[in-house]
Amino acid sequence: MSGVPGGPSKKSSSRTMATKKLIIDEFKRRLRDNIKSLNDNFFHIIQAAKVSPDDNAYKNQTGKMAEFYTTKNEMAVRAQLMVRASDELLRLTTDLKEFLILHDFHFLTHNIKSAEAQCEDELRKQSQFHQAIDSDVSNMLLDLEREIGENFYLRHT
């Protein structure tokens, strides 16, 4: 225990911040790697789908079939790699949500308090608006009753 007040909490706070930074860096790396995998594999699938204008490669039937099956298998493997990268991105979003929920209570608390304050402000404004309308309607009714009373009763007497 340190003689300085708040010493241990500063160490644990800096350790927590370092841990959060490492986790965030890992999330960034995973995102970058998976996006790169998606882009590279998509590029290679499109590239493999292009038809070669070289007719010499297609003169014998065995050459055509060998190239066809090679291209087909390459595309299947690359498509599977794209599916794997997409699945990793879904896991990454789940991990990010979990990280935010477990490690960022201050942010969540701040957002909840902000939403409550905004709701209270809106409620206060609506209440004032309602009171103003109620007052206007009451004044109009009083004016109407007075007008009716003055004009209607004077004619009958």
Side-chain angles (χ1 to χ4, degrees), residues 130-157:
H130 177 265
Q131 288 175 352
I133 289 177
D134 188 38
S135 175
D136 288 346
V137 168
S138 295
N139 289 337
M140 285 182 201
L141 283 174
L142 286 173
D143 290 343
L144 280 172
E145 286 178 359
R146 189 172 358 116
E147 282 289 322
I148 290 173
E150 289 174 359
N151 294 326
F152 183 71
Y153 293 121
L154 287 179
R155 291 184 185 167
H156 290 306
T157 33

Side-chain angles (χ1 to χ4, degrees), residues 62-75:
T62 309
K64 280 191 214 178
M65 294 306 289
E67 185 176 348
F68 168 75
Y69 282 110
T70 302
T71 303
K72 177 184 161 204
N73 289 335
E74 179 186 356
M75 289 177 139

Side-chain angles (χ1 to χ4, degrees), residues 59-89:
K59 293 223 177 188
N60 72 18
Q61 194 66 20
T62 309
K64 280 191 214 178
M65 294 306 289
E67 185 176 348
F68 168 75
Y69 282 110
T70 302
T71 303
K72 177 184 161 204
N73 289 335
E74 179 186 356
M75 289 177 139
V77 168
R78 292 196 179 276
Q80 190 276 333
L81 289 172
M82 288 178 71
V83 169
R84 179 184 294 168
S86 299
D87 187 46
E88 286 294 322
L89 286 172

Side-chain angles (χ1 to χ4, degrees), residues 95-148:
D95 291 346
L96 280 168
K97 289 176 186 177
E98 182 180 306
F99 175 78
L100 283 174
I101 290 170
L102 295 177
H103 292 94
D104 211 359
F105 286 116
H106 177 70
F107 174 76
L108 294 173
T109 303
H110 174 71
N111 280 349
I112 290 170
K113 286 182 180 180
S114 174
E116 285 176 350
Q118 186 179 7
C119 188
E120 287 174 2
D121 288 344
E122 187 65 28
L123 181 63
R124 189 175 7 81
K125 286 178 187 175
Q126 291 297 326
S127 179
Q128 289 172 350
F129 181 70
H130 177 265
Q131 288 175 352
I133 289 177
D134 188 38
S135 175
D136 288 346
V137 168
S138 295
N139 289 337
M140 285 182 201
L141 283 174
L142 286 173
D143 290 343
L144 280 172
E145 286 178 359
R146 189 172 358 116
E147 282 289 322
I148 290 173

Side-chain angles (χ1 to χ4, degrees), residues 13-66:
S13 175
S14 66
R15 196 175 314 138
T16 302
M17 292 303 289
T19 303
K20 283 183 182 181
K21 183 172 178 11
L22 287 174
I23 291 171
I24 290 170
D25 288 343
E26 176 66 17
F27 287 156
K28 286 179 183 178
R29 184 199 58 79
R30 286 171 57 190
L31 177 65
R32 188 174 43 251
D33 291 348
N34 288 316
I35 295 296
K36 184 180 182 325
S37 175
L38 280 172
N39 286 332
D40 289 347
N41 287 307
F42 182 73
F43 174 77
H44 287 294
I45 286 174
I46 296 299
Q47 197 172 31
K50 290 182 181 177
V51 177
S52 173
D54 184 19
D55 289 336
N56 291 333
Y58 297 109
K59 293 223 177 188
N60 72 18
Q61 194 66 20
T62 309
K64 280 191 214 178
M65 294 306 289

